[in-house]
Amino acid sequence: MKARHLKAWFFRLTFFLLFSLAASADGVLVDYYGVVSASSDTNMLKMAQDVFFTQLKSIDGVTVDDKRPDISKASSAIPSFMNTNAGIYFYAEITDTKNESGQTVWNCRFNAVTASDGITHSTSENYESYYKILVGAKNAIEKVLSDLKAPAPEFAGANKSNLATDFKTGVDIESLAGTWSGEPFADKIIILRGGRGFVIFKNGATMNIKISVKKAVVGGKSTNLEITQVGKSNASFFPELPREQALECASQAKPITWNFSLTSADTLEGIKNTVISTNNGVEQGILNSSWTRK
């Protein structure tokens, strides 16, 4: 089924003074209260609220404190906000409906409550699947927050050095946006504008990644693009390893990185630096890797 064009409406307000007071050296302080929903699809709600938390933490200029009443499930009612130093209280409301074809459509309303006056600033999006939420939610979250901090465009999370073509390497990060494949144990790889993205594994795990222009020679190959895992390692990020080995190395493993060259508009080729299995256990190693845009 052809996906609907996502439509959004936004309340555009400016709170310059609020953010001058609420922001610290680490950025704007946001308390995250998770998801509020009456839907019976508890698994989807749990995954969605975890994704929203991860996406909030990945936004430049934002410091997030997890205030969810129960991280294992969504709330049934709008939470009571605690008295903290945060400038923003953030939560999402999710409802599910059926479209004309009988397919479930998820309506996500992202709410940012300004602590100084209690006003709720919101944006809503409709998504036809969990993957649509995964791909599109961060843009909506960034929008509702960045509208509150209009004086700082970089707040939206994009790395300014990545927004235009790097003239030394000829790589345009923005042009890489899209859905890619190539990882043997991944369902899909999604690269967003602004140098961010996700690797969605077949085992259900999701890895955040960032993309940057960087010249390197790895394994004897010259590359000009680096894609790096963001956040802590998870045993599920190493599906090619026996489960016991994956669990053992996950806590100490270095972030997985890919060093690529753009060999065509839709092909990345290079090296993956990750944990590999050997006769003596596991060790850091490199593998040939190639990604293709779908």
Side-chain angles (χ1 to χ4, degrees):
M1 176 181 175
K2 185 176 180 181
R4 294 178 179 178
H5 291 292
L6 298 180
K7 297 179 181 179
W9 58 271
F10 304 103
F11 293 108
R12 295 183 176 276
L13 299 170
T14 55
F15 286 87
F16 303 161
L17 179 59
L18 165 68
F19 279 88
S20 296
L21 296 173
S24 68
D26 295 321
V28 177
L29 302 179
V30 176
D31 281 352
Y32 176 63
Y33 286 86
V35 165
V36 177
S37 180
S39 172
S40 60
D41 193 339
T42 55
N43 289 334
M44 195 291 298
L45 294 175
K46 171 65 168 62
M47 291 189 294
Q49 81 162 357
D50 288 344
V51 165
F52 298 159
F53 182 51
T54 300
Q55 291 172 334
L56 270 172
K57 291 195 299 180
S58 71
I59 299 175
D60 292 341
V62 173
T63 299
V64 185
D65 193 4
D66 192 352
K67 298 291 187 180
R68 286 177 284 179
D70 188 342
I71 64 172
S72 67
K73 62 181 181 181
S75 299
S76 58
I78 295 175
S80 298
F81 304 120
M82 300 179 185
N83 184 18
T84 69
N85 293 324
I88 294 293
Y89 306 134
F90 187 93
Y91 68 99
E93 296 171 278
I94 297 181
T95 57
D96 57 341
T97 58
K98 300 288 186 181
N99 60 18
E100 295 178 355
S101 302
Q103 181 181 8
T104 299
V105 176
W106 302 96
N107 176 266
C108 297
R109 181 182 176 92
F110 302 101
N111 303 291
V113 182
T114 46
S116 63
D117 53 20
I119 295 176
T120 301
H121 315 282
S122 304
T123 181
S124 295
E125 292 281 1
N126 290 327
Y127 303 104
E128 296 176 343
S129 68
Y130 170 66
Y131 284 145
K132 295 291 185 180
I133 293 176
L134 185 67
V135 175
K138 186 179 178 184
N139 288 337
I141 292 171
E142 287 180 340
K143 182 60 179 177
V144 74
L145 292 178
S146 62
D147 277 355
L148 299 175
K149 198 189 181 210
E154 66 271 19
F155 178 80
N159 184 338
K160 288 183 177 180
S161 65
N162 290 341
L163 294 181
T165 301
D166 185 290
F167 294 104
K168 295 180 180 179
T169 62
V171 176
D172 180 2
I173 296 292
E174 297 292 278
S175 70
L176 299 177
T179 302
W180 297 72
S181 63
E183 290 298 304
F185 296 91
D187 183 46
K188 64 179 67 176
I189 303 150
I190 298 166
I191 297 179
L192 306 173
R193 294 187 181 279
R196 301 281 183 173
F198 308 93
V199 177
I200 304 169
F201 292 91
K202 294 176 181 178
N203 60 21
T206 301
M207 177 198 295
N208 292 325
I209 55 175
K210 64 179 180 180
I211 301 92
S212 57
V213 174
K214 182 178 180 180
K215 279 190 172 183
V217 177
V218 183
K221 295 186 177 182
S222 296
T223 60
N224 54 16
L225 191 71
E226 183 176 84
I227 299 177
T228 308
Q229 167 193 333
V230 176
K232 294 181 180 180
S233 291
N234 184 312
S236 297
F237 295 172
F238 308 100
E240 66 275 18
L241 297 180
R243 184 61 177 173
E244 290 185 1
Q245 287 185 339
L247 288 168
E248 183 179 350
C249 73
S251 61
Q252 299 178 346
K254 296 179 180 178
I256 297 171
T257 60
W258 292 263
N259 292 91
F260 282 133
S261 291
L262 190 64
T263 58
S264 74
D266 298 315
T267 306
L268 294 168
E269 293 185 353
I271 294 295
K272 177 182 181 180
N273 192 323
T274 185
V275 175
I276 61 175
S277 182
T278 68
N279 292 333
N280 298 321
V282 295
E283 64 181 31
Q284 202 71 25
I286 58 175
L287 304 169
N288 290 328
S289 183
S290 177
W291 291 4
T292 304
R293 191 182 341 231
K294 294 183 178 181

